[in-house]
Amino acid sequence: KQEVTQIPAALSVPEGENLVLNCSFTDSAIYNLQWFRQDPGKGLTSLLLIQSSQREQTSGRLNASLDKSSGRSTLYIAASQPGDSATYLCAVPTQGGSEKLVFGKGTKLTVNP
Amino acid sequence: SAVISQKPSRDICQRGTSLTIQCQVDSQVTMMFWYRQQPGQSLTLIATANQGSEATYESGFVIDKFPISRPNLTFSTLTVSNMSPEDSSIYLCSVRDTRNQPQHFGDGTRLSIL
């Protein structure tokens, strides 16, 4: 059964700092991994999707990496801003070629001005 | 990416009643899913809404409690039946065209049961 772990559970940093969020998964037979952002009381916003054939994916100040063999992904946020404050979730397929996703519990990020 | 509208955005309901949540997408999509997010928890998949046939439920979720309809490729409903305080959660609709494309979510329905 696929399980997703995110570390740390919460992170508080001063504005301008670069930071890394970690995601690990138990079944490495995934075809992609997706990072989401969730603001309080809101739905999820898709940030990045990394295919299994890719090592990295970038969007603006965000960079996500994927090491499938070790079951790990990281989300790097450069020059953090207070507007980046949110919960960040990673998700992978439940098994094999499934379209269904299983989510980690998320990392709650607070960027202080 | 698809624009997903969920209604209602929030509701407060009495114990024992039922509520139907609507999910409307601005384009045809292959896959639609319903998730639940209990307070302080991550997302749990309730079911996959199949167009023109019965939904596929995950372990722990049953059709009698969470009936789902999907009459076409742009619309689905989730009903939470005979509600109890334990059903207080955010319910989220999501869509995906192929497994190589991102999954997108609506803003969710925040449900409180008194």
Side-chain angles (χ1 to χ4, degrees), chain A residues 6 31-32 34 36 38 40-46 49 51 89 93-94 96-106, chain B residues 10 31 33 35 37 40-45 48 56 58 90 92 96 98-108 110:
Chain A
Q6 290 189 245
Y31 55 85
N32 57 35
Q34 197 165 355
F36 295 88
Q38 185 176 30
K42 297 289 189 179
L44 276 66
T45 300
S46 176
L49 174 71
Q51 304 295 346
L89 298 153
T94 54
S98 174
E99 297 89 1
K100 299 182 291 186
L101 298 180
V102 60
F103 286 78
K105 292 185 177 181
Chain B
R10 59 175 61 224
M31 291 169 271
F33 305 95
Y35 287 84
Q37 187 176 31
Q41 302 298 313
S42 192
L43 281 74
T44 301
L45 180 64
T48 303
T56 304
E58 298 299 306
I90 299 175
L92 296 130
R96 193 171 201 179
T98 73
R99 69 177 204 174
N100 291 319
Q101 292 180 315
Q103 190 164 99
H104 295 286
F105 283 78
D107 278 344
R110 181 181 292 271

Side-chain angles (χ1 to χ4, degrees), chain B:
Chain B
S1 62
V3 176
I4 304 164
S5 301
Q6 258 187 259
K7 292 181 180 179
S9 59
R10 59 175 61 224
D11 208 338
I12 301 172
C13 300
Q14 296 296 320
R15 186 192 302 250
T17 62
S18 299
L19 179 74
T20 296
I21 302 168
Q22 298 180 358
C23 178
Q24 177 75 55
V25 191
D26 69 343
S27 59
Q28 293 186 344
V29 291
T30 306
M31 291 169 271
M32 295 183 78
F33 305 95
W34 287 98
Y35 287 84
R36 180 176 73 181
Q37 187 176 31
Q38 293 176 303
Q41 302 298 313
S42 192
L43 281 74
T44 301
L45 180 64
I46 297 172
T48 303
N50 301 309
Q51 192 259 329
S53 64
E54 194 171 284
T56 304
Y57 290 84
E58 298 299 306
S59 176
F61 297 96
V62 296
I63 188 171
D64 290 346
K65 176 67 176 177
F66 298 102
I68 289 171
S69 77
R70 189 174 174 196
N72 56 51
L73 293 176
T74 64
F75 186 77
S76 178
T77 66
L78 167 74
T79 299
V80 185
S81 302
N82 188 25
M83 289 184 285
S84 66
E86 293 70 37
D87 295 319
S88 297
S89 297
I90 299 175
Y91 292 86
L92 296 130
C93 167
S94 74
V95 303
R96 193 171 201 179
D97 247 347
T98 73
R99 69 177 204 174
N100 291 319
Q101 292 180 315
Q103 190 164 99
H104 295 286
F105 283 78
D107 278 344
T109 297
R110 181 181 292 271
L111 188 55
S112 299
I113 315 303
L114 300 179

